[in-house]
Amino acid sequence: GAGVSQSPSNKVTEKGKDVELRCDPISGHTALYWYRQRLGQGLEFLIYFQGNSAPDKSGLPSDRFSAERTGESVSTLTIQRTQQEDSAVYLCASSLVTGTGNTIYFGEGSWLTVV
Amino acid sequence: QQQVKQSPQSLIVQKGGIPIINCAYENTAFDYFPWYQQFPGKGPALLIAIRPDVSEKKEGRFTISFNKSAKQFSLHIMDSQPGDSATYFCAANGGSARQLTFGSGTQLTVLP
């Protein structure tokens, strides 16, 4: 597609439920990132994927968070046993390659509300 | 080492004013410093970026000033317009840090 596509755009879930958030990166982009943005705050790095290399999971806040990527295409971020503190916008981004100087393009995010 | 500190948290200027947003970093391996603009309900979009081999970069009304020795960089918006009202994030990466580290954001309001 023309840009990074994320779904769902909005998700309300009950505390304790699992949620899956999907990201379709820009076609041809080998690098894919997930960030979390709490209301009125900055962007918190979660995980990135680069081609077939092992993902950098250093930003995942707990073992309730996991992500997968199929080849160089779609990615799914899964949050198990959601907590109210997980409420945030989850932003996916992609770039041609990792490394400095490569423009990172963001999707519009998936707004997660845990009630 | 990975932190990027941004100030002010919010800024209000009159139309035509020149808002200035400042960022400071600690990791000397950082060598790429972009600024992102985010409108409500949208993802951040790249506005302008600089590398430390230059002290200033201009693109239209947006200018980045970079001070390598002080490990600081700033965004200036010339002749600001109400349409510039948004949240601005500075960021950095480089060295072993492949992902961008973002500042906490500045909410800019340009009054008509």
Side-chain angles (χ1 to χ4, degrees):
Chain A
V4 178
S5 177
Q6 293 188 244
S7 62
S9 55
N10 286 283
K11 175 73 175 179
V12 180
T13 190
E14 292 181 352
K15 178 181 173 181
K17 300 281 189 181
D18 297 352
V19 296
E20 285 189 352
L21 307 176
R22 177 189 168 102
C23 174
D24 280 283
I26 294 173
S27 178
H29 281 194
T30 61
L32 185 147
Y33 311 77
W34 284 96
Y35 283 83
R36 178 170 69 179
Q37 185 176 28
R38 291 196 167 106
L39 185 63
Q41 297 189 19
L43 282 75
E44 176 188 6
F45 167 73
L46 297 177
I47 186 171
Y48 89 79
F49 299 87
Q50 168 60 54
N52 295 319
S53 300
D56 178 349
K57 304 179 181 180
S58 61
L60 294 178
S62 77
D63 59 7
R64 296 187 296 106
F65 288 73
S66 63
E68 293 183 344
R69 187 180 186 191
T70 306
E72 293 185 352
S73 61
V74 301
S75 175
T76 302
L77 176 68
T78 302
I79 309 173
Q80 295 178 311
R81 305 181 303 281
T82 52
Q83 303 295 312
Q84 289 185 329
E85 70 220 36
D86 300 334
S87 297
V89 177
Y90 289 84
L91 290 160
C92 178
S94 70
S95 66
L96 277 173
V97 293
T98 53
T100 63
N102 294 294
T103 302
I104 295 176
Y105 298 88
F106 283 87
E108 297 198 343
S110 291
W111 186 282
L112 175 65
T113 303
V114 182
V115 298
Chain B
Q1 276 284 325
Q2 299 298 325
Q3 202 171 15
V4 177
K5 295 182 179 179
Q6 183 172 346
S7 63
Q9 186 175 8
S10 63
L11 188 55
I12 301 173
V13 299
Q14 295 285 343
K15 177 182 174 182
I18 305 175
I20 301 172
I21 305 170
N22 300 298
C23 285
Y25 63 97
E26 299 172 352
N27 188 340
T28 54
F30 284 160
D31 62 0
Y32 175 65
F33 303 89
W35 285 88
Y36 279 77
Q37 180 187 56
Q38 185 179 32
F39 293 105
K42 301 293 185 181
L46 179 66
L47 190 61
I48 185 173
I50 196 168
R51 290 194 177 274
D53 53 345
V54 296
S55 61
E56 184 176 278
K57 183 174 181 180
K58 291 183 179 181
E59 286 188 5
R61 296 184 294 106
F62 300 92
T63 299
I64 300 178
S65 298
F66 188 85
N67 185 329
K68 186 175 181 179
S69 61
K71 293 187 288 185
Q72 295 175 346
F73 57 110
S74 60
L75 177 70
H76 302 228
I77 305 176
M78 305 302 176
D79 187 28
S80 58
Q81 302 296 313
D84 296 329
S85 297
T87 301
Y88 292 81
F89 293 95
C90 61
N93 74 353
S96 62
R98 298 301 186 114
Q99 72 279 10
L100 284 172
T101 297
F102 284 84
S104 54
T106 297
Q107 186 171 347
L108 172 67
T109 303
V110 181
L111 300 174

